[in-house]
């Protein structure tokens, strides 16, 4: 493999800055995601001869030049298999074993920048190699700086030693000595001892060490944790950067290893900030590909220079500090990126990256005169709702707490009124319990008659058993004897069952209504619980009810478990009569119970099957004997598996 020399991207150290105006900012938090490679005993150089000279390269060079063991592929590794590797991605701090005087055992040492509770435990626990194989581990991360920074400072707990690279340059060593400034660490490199008893300094486990990367030379205290800045880093330019860290033990029989690292830096002069980001639907809410977005941008300065800024944006190539400028016309299919530079000192720069606002959710269709087309949701619809199909909106794991809002845009209603209909689905995929009382769902129409807005509850009254206008789950002992208290559990399924149930909500919007909006507020608190809103329709009066036109209403299809969007999915009974024997066949659906009724006069009905026929997704058969010249036969279906009344 060829080796590309990399250059650290820094600002010129000759740039004069007003240090009194500089502010320290967080660049890498303790909880930064890292890719890691933790061998179980075999030197990675065995599989990749140039591993030692490539694993620490900058992201671009690493992608083209590294061909060693994968950092990103998740693997636990096996301590008993020395050729295996523990690898993957995890949040810091990272390590294994029980680090003395930390790890929740004593005084907390890691304080997040800007405040908050101290970090007491590892973010990612690695696999501990067997004794005599606890040597070195490798870490990589990419971080982004939106502006230029000066004087980067690392605060770290390293157990026992480390070498730190930034953008493919070895910048510092912690409690570790190598023959020359250009020497690279290897898997067999060990950390320094204390110089007297040949043991690792206690300060690796009870001291938060600070390294000023802008100052070349040795830092630390004699007999304690040492650090040496090999290639000083006075500044970081705006853009993406790579940090790579090698962590090694003092001894291959060491009981623990730790890499806890945070980096801050000082504001280097200018900062661009976006606000008031908005999306332009270009008149086609159903086609997000032609959307654009726009935003306000403000560039401020903290260093020298008073001449204003320049940018690479054709719309606004120059401007003044502190003023707000509107940038527009960016395709919503990707991120906008603008580089701002100080007009006097172009080395002072700030890169502004702005993501487009998400496309509005399409909740259904408006099928009314003058407004036929997709029905989008308003911008204040909560992000807990997501699009899962052309007209299906889903909320999973809303996180509990305040209800999450889902609201359609207002729909103009003709003078004669209109019809509203939608399908709601409630799904529980847990095998241990169902919706709890903290889970709620309400659906209302806001009807505006020109002077007042009236809220109409469109949930079926028969489901709302406590008459509070909201559907609730059930939390309490013995769920299976209280299934009726879970208002989402239409089929009275037990806690062990996985199920999906749907209902139709509808309303005839009266004449004189100017506009109508559907508003849903819902809460669920677990990944196993899902609400779906499907096929919302605002249409002329009496135009709804059987959307697949198969002769069965949407409500009856949902009750039967068939698909109201598919005309081939329905409960249709076939029969063959041979003398007095009548053979029936009909499709069944899981979580549904069926019975066969017969009558000679369609007044008195008799159940023919002794036990309920349990649906399993197949076509099932049933035979009966009749001596009558004519016989009326009905197959009845109900939600759930409980016996028919």
């Amino acid at each position: 493999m060829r080796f590309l020399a990399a250059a650290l991207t820094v600002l010129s150290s000759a740039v004069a800055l007003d240090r009194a105006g500089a502010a320290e900012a967080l660049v890498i938090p303790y909880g930064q995601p890292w890719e890691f490679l933790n061998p179980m005993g075999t030197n990675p150089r065995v599989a990749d001869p140039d591993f030692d000279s490539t694993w620490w390269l900058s992201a671009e060079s690493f992608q083209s030049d590294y061909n060693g063991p994968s950092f990103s592929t998740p693997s636990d590794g096996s301590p008993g298999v020395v050729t295996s590797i523990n690898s993957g991605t995890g949040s810091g701090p990272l390590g294994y074993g029980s680090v003395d005087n930390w790890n929740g055992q004593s005084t907390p040492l890691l304080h997040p920048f800007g405040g908050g509770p101290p970090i007491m435990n590892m973010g990612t626990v690695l696999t501990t190699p067997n004794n005599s194989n606890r040597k070195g581990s490798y870490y990589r991360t990419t971080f982004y700086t939106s502006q230029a920074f000066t004087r980067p400072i690392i605060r770290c707990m390293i157990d026992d030693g480390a070498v730190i690279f930034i953008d493919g340059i070895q910048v510092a060593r912690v409690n570790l000595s190598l023959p020359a400034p250009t020497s690279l660490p290897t898997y067999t490199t060990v950390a320094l001892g204390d110089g007297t008893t040949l043991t690792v300094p206690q300060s690796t486990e009870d001291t938060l060490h600070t390294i000023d990367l802008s100052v070349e030379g040795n830092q630390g205290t004699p007999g304690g944790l040492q650090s040496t800045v090999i290639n000083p880093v006075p500044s970081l330019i705006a853009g993406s950067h790579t940090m790579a860290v090698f962590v090694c033990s003092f001894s291959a029989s060491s009981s623990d290893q730790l890499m806890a690292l945070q980096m801050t830096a000082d504001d280097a002069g200018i900062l661009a900030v976006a606000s008031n980001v908005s999306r332009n639907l270009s008149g086609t809410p159903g086609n997000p590909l032609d959307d654009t977005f726009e935003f306000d941008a403000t560039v401020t300065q903290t260093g020298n220079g008073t001449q204003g800024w320049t940018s690479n944006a054709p719309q606004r190539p120059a401007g003044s500090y502190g003023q707000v400028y509107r940038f527009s016309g960016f395709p919503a299919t990707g991120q906008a990126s603008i580089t701002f530079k100080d007009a006097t000192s172009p080395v002072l720069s700030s890169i502004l990256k702005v993501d487009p606002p998400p496309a509005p959710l399409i909740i259904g269709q408006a099928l009314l005169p003058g407004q036929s087309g997709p029905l989008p949701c308003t911008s204040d619809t909560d992000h807990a709702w997501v699009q899962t199909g052309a007209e299906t909106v889903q909320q999973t794991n809303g996180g509990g707490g305040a209800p999450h809002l889902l609201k359609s845009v207002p729909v103009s209603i003709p003078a004669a009124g209109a019809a509203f209909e939608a399908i709601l689905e409630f799904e529980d995929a847990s095998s241990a319990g169902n919706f709890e009382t903290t889970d709620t769902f309400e659906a209302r129409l806001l009807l505006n008659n020109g002077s007042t807005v009236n809220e109409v509850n469109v949930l079926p009254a028969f489901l709302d058993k406590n008459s509070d206008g909201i559907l609730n789950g059930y939390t309490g002992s013995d769920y299976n004897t209280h299934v009726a208290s879970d208002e989402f559990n239409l089929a009275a399924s037990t806690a062990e069952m996985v199920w999906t149930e749907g209902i139709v909500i509808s309303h005839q919007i009266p004449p004189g209504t100017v506009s109508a909006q559907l508003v849903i507020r819902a809460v669920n608190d677990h990944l196993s619980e899902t609400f779906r809103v499907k096929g919302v329709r605002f249409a002329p009066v009496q135009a709804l009810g059987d959307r697949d036109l198969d002769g069965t209403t949407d409500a009856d299809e949902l009750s039967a478990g068939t698909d109201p969007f598919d005309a081939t999915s329905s409960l249709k009974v076939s029969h063959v009569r041979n003398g007095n024997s009548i053979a029936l066949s009909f499709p069944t659906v899981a979580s549904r119970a069926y019975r066969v009724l017969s009558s000679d006069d369609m007044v008195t009905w008799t159940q023919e099957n002794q036990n309920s026929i349990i649906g399993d997704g197949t076509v099932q058969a049933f035979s009966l004997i009749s001596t009558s010249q004519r016989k009326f036969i009905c197959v009845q279906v109900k939600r759930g598996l409980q016996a028919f009344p």
Side-chain angles (χ1 to χ4, degrees), residues 364-429:
Q365 296 283 318
L367 304 174
L368 295 167
Q371 52 175 333
S372 178
L375 179 64
C377 296
T378 58
S379 60
D380 56 347
T381 290
D382 196 280
H383 63 82
W385 295 94
V386 295
Q387 197 85 47
T388 58
E391 298 176 13
T392 300
V393 177
Q394 171 177 283
Q395 183 205 23
T396 299
N397 192 21
H404 296 276
L405 179 68
L406 176 66
K407 183 192 294 186
S408 75
V409 298
V411 175
S412 297
I413 303 300
F420 160 79
E421 183 182 87
I423 290 176
L424 309 180
E425 285 185 352
F426 314 118
E427 178 180 288
D428 188 276

Side-chain angles (χ1 to χ4, degrees), residues 445-458:
L445 284 178
L446 303 185
L447 303 182
N448 182 356
N449 62 15
S451 58
T452 60
V453 177
N454 298 313
E455 284 198 12
V456 177
N457 182 6
V458 291

Side-chain angles (χ1 to χ4, degrees), residues 385 395-405 435-442 470-471 473 488 520-526 529 531:
W385 295 94
Q395 183 205 23
T396 299
N397 192 21
H404 296 276
L405 179 68
F435 289 95
E436 299 83 21
T437 51
T438 52
D439 301 323
T440 61
F441 190 98
E442 58 179 304
I470 302 173
L471 298 185
F488 299 106
I520 289 174
R521 299 179 181 90
V523 175
N524 58 14
D525 61 4
H526 198 274
E529 299 156 355
F531 299 140

